[in-house]
């Protein structure tokens, strides 16, 4: 049975950083992948032109990864938390109800406030009630920080309990990431191509294969 995979991303490039290889893997096996992009580089912190550049980059990445559907909610980056919570949760839930996913990937609630707010909203939408009962796997993906900054043991640290093998899809992940020319930094930056490849190699070797993407399973129904 073909599956419907929903990937909820706070910003353009998070979906590729955290789950690009997994997206390519599911797409290659015939599953339908929907990427929901919650926010972006919009005014007042950025120009509309900045936003349009990242949207174009995202679509190029989606084409390489095999994303079938995508939607951009156009909420300014770092301001997701300014949305009335019932309205924001309603917008996320509407996508869940319309797409009816079997598998959902969301950002791990790390130091970035947008990641935490999106995670909380996905947890509301994915409750095992109504449409949420059809979700077989709910998992949080790992997103490389721009700074590696957090407060260890006070804030949650990402520890995967599931590693998806992406050995056959690592090139697609890295090429998709290269589409984000406005976001990728030079090595040794934490979001450089080399750093992303190194993390994928590390996660892979943790599970006994070449390249992998770490996930934290929140709920799995067999």
């Amino acid at each position: 049975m073909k599956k419907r995979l929903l990937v909820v991303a706070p910003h353009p490039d998070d979906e590729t950083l955290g789950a690009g290889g997994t997206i390519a893997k599911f797409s290659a096996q015939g599953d339908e992948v929907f990427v929901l992009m919650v926010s972006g580089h919009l005014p007042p912190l950025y120009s509309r032109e900045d936003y349009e550049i990242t949207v174009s980059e995202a679509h190029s990445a989606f084409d390489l990864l095999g994303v079938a559907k995508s939607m951009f909610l156009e909420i300014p980056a770092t301001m997701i938390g300014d949305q009335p919570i019932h309205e924001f949760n309603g917008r996320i839930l509407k996508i869940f109800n319309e797409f009816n996913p079997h598998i959902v990937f969301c950002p791990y609630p790390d130091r970035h406030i947008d990641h935490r707010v999106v995670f909380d909203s996905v947890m509301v939408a994915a409750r095992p009630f109504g449409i949420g009962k059809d979700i077989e796997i709910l998992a949080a993906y790992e997103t490389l920080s721009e700074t590696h900054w957090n407060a260890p043991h006070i804030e949650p640290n990402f520890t995967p309990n599931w590693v998806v093998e992406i050995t056959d899809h690592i090139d697609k992940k890295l090429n998709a990431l290269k589409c984000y020319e406005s976001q990728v930094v030079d090595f040794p930056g934490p979001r450089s191509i080399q750093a992303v490849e190194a993390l994928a190699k590390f996660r892979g070797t943790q599970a006994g294969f070449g390249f992998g993407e770490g996930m934290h399973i929140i709920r799995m129904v067999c």
Side-chain angles (χ1 to χ4, degrees):
M1 176 182 173
K2 302 302 181 184
K3 302 295 184 180
R4 291 184 298 276
L5 169 63
L6 175 62
V7 181
V8 184
H11 319 98
D13 80 357
D14 286 334
E15 80 298 329
T16 302
L17 286 166
T22 304
I23 291 171
K25 182 173 186 172
F26 274 76
S27 176
Q29 64 192 26
D31 297 318
E32 183 179 11
V33 181
F34 185 148
V35 173
L36 174 61
M37 199 70 70
V38 176
S39 75
H41 295 73
L42 287 158
L45 297 181
Y46 305 90
S47 70
R48 182 75 193 188
E49 182 181 5
D50 291 331
Y51 176 71
E52 297 299 340
I53 288 172
T54 58
V55 169
S56 176
E57 291 171 343
H59 283 301
S60 296
F62 295 169
D63 288 344
L64 287 177
L65 297 176
V67 173
K69 297 180 179 179
S70 62
M71 179 179 290
F72 295 74
L73 296 186
E74 296 200 11
I75 299 172
T78 75
M79 296 184 179
I80 300 176
D82 294 341
Q83 308 294 306
I85 193 64
H86 68 284
E87 293 182 8
F88 179 62
N89 286 350
R91 295 179 73 181
I92 299 298
L93 182 59
K94 184 174 186 290
I95 301 301
F96 275 68
N97 288 336
E98 292 175 351
F99 187 58
N100 190 19
H102 299 106
I103 301 167
V104 177
F105 292 143
C106 65
Y108 187 78
D110 57 30
R111 174 95 292 267
H112 200 305
I113 184 62
D114 286 350
H115 294 192
R116 300 201 300 272
V117 174
V118 171
F119 171 84
D120 287 342
S121 186
V122 169
M123 287 295 289
V124 172
R127 290 175 295 181
F129 174 82
I131 206 75
K133 291 189 293 186
D134 294 333
I135 297 173
E136 300 168 6
I137 299 175
L138 171 63
Y141 54 80
E142 178 179 21
T143 304
L144 271 171
S145 168
E146 294 175 336
T147 60
H148 291 313
W149 178 243
N150 75 339
H153 308 297
I154 297 175
E155 297 180 298
N157 293 90
F158 182 84
T159 302
N161 55 16
W162 177 30
V163 179
V164 180
E165 181 173 10
I166 63 166
T167 304
D168 292 338
H169 306 282
I170 183 62
D171 289 341
K172 281 189 177 181
K173 175 186 175 82
L174 298 179
N175 286 331
L177 189 59
K178 290 175 184 177
C179 293
Y180 287 104
E181 293 183 13
S182 68
Q183 305 301 308
V184 173
V185 299
D186 293 333
F187 185 78
R191 286 189 170 182
S192 62
I193 299 300
Q194 296 93 326
V196 172
E197 182 178 12
L199 177 62
K201 184 177 292 185
F202 174 64
R203 292 302 183 203
T205 59
Q206 283 184 305
F209 38 75
F211 292 91
E213 285 177 333
M215 304 281 178
H216 188 98
I217 295 176
I218 301 163
R219 187 174 84 242
M220 177 180 288
V221 180
C222 298

